[in-house]
Amino acid sequence: VKEKPPTVKELEVADPGQKNIKGDKNADVTIDEPVGESNAKVTEEDPNKIFTSVEKYPEFPGGLDAFIKYLSKHINYPAVARENGTQGRVIVNFVCEKDGSLTDVKVLRGIGDGCDEEAVRVIKASPKWSPGIQNGRPVRTSYSVPISFTLSE
C-alpha cells in the first residue's frame, strides 16, 4: 500500500460532497463488444438425458379416462392369477421418448402369477403418448403407472 488510509479524525472533517461532473458531449459512445465467440450455439447438456420431473408429464392420447378404458379393454386377467385369486397393483415404469413411443418398460413392484407380464405387455402395446415437455421441448421422461388387477366375485 503506497498511501496510508485516512484516520477517523481526517474522515470527520473530509468533505466528500456532491460533485457534478459534466462529460464531453462530442465524445464517441463506445459499447464494449461481447467477449467470446458470437456464433456459438446453445446446446443441451445431454440430448439423451432421461427426466423424472418435467413441466408437462407424458399423457396417454385422450387423457387419463382414455387410458383407464384402454387398460380395461386390453388387459387379459392371467388364468393362473384367476385360479390362485391373485389381486393387487402392479407398478410399471417406462421411458416416454421424444416421439411419444414407450421404451424400457419394466415392473417396479409386481404381484406375480402372470400379472406383471400382462401389465408390461399392455403398456408396450399402447399407442404413442404425447411426450413430456421441459423448456418448451419434448424430452425423454421416466414415468410410472399403477395397474390394478381385481377379480369380480
Side-chain angles (χ1 to χ4, degrees):
V1 178
K2 295 180 181 173
E3 296 178 26
K4 287 191 174 185
T7 64
V8 174
K9 292 243 188 239
E10 291 172 335
L11 288 175
E12 285 174 355
V13 294
D15 180 25
Q18 294 183 351
K19 295 178 183 167
N20 198 2
I21 302 173
K22 302 244 182 202
D24 181 8
K25 291 181 183 176
N26 299 324
D28 290 335
V29 177
T30 56
I31 299 173
D32 293 336
E33 292 295 318
V35 179
E37 297 177 26
S38 60
N39 62 352
K41 292 181 180 157
V42 177
T43 56
E44 288 182 39
E45 55 194 55
D46 179 12
N48 291 325
K49 179 180 178 186
I50 297 174
F51 289 78
T52 52
S53 178
V54 289
E55 293 166 3
K56 182 178 179 288
Y57 283 93
E59 190 178 38
F60 186 82
L64 186 61
D65 292 339
F67 184 57
I68 292 167
K69 280 182 190 171
Y70 169 81
L71 290 177
S72 62
K73 185 177 177 184
H74 290 87
I75 283 185
N76 299 320
Y77 214 111
V80 175
R82 185 174 281 129
E83 287 171 23
N84 294 339
T86 304
Q87 298 185 88
R89 241 178 12 183
V90 177
I91 309 291
V92 180
N93 178 270
F94 53 86
V95 174
C96 183
E97 298 291 340
K98 294 176 185 180
D99 67 350
S101 60
L102 307 182
T103 59
D104 198 22
V105 181
K106 60 183 178 241
V107 174
L108 294 183
R109 194 171 77 221
I111 55 175
D113 286 340
C115 293
D116 306 351
E117 293 81 2
E118 180 61 13
V120 168
R121 181 193 70 78
V122 169
I123 292 293
K124 281 184 176 176
S126 80
K128 284 189 175 186
W129 290 42
S130 60
I133 304 290
Q134 185 70 16
N135 295 330
R137 289 194 198 117
V139 292
R140 299 179 76 208
T141 311
S142 177
Y143 199 65
S144 297
V145 291
I147 298 176
S148 295
F149 285 85
T150 19
L151 289 167
S152 52
E153 303 274 329

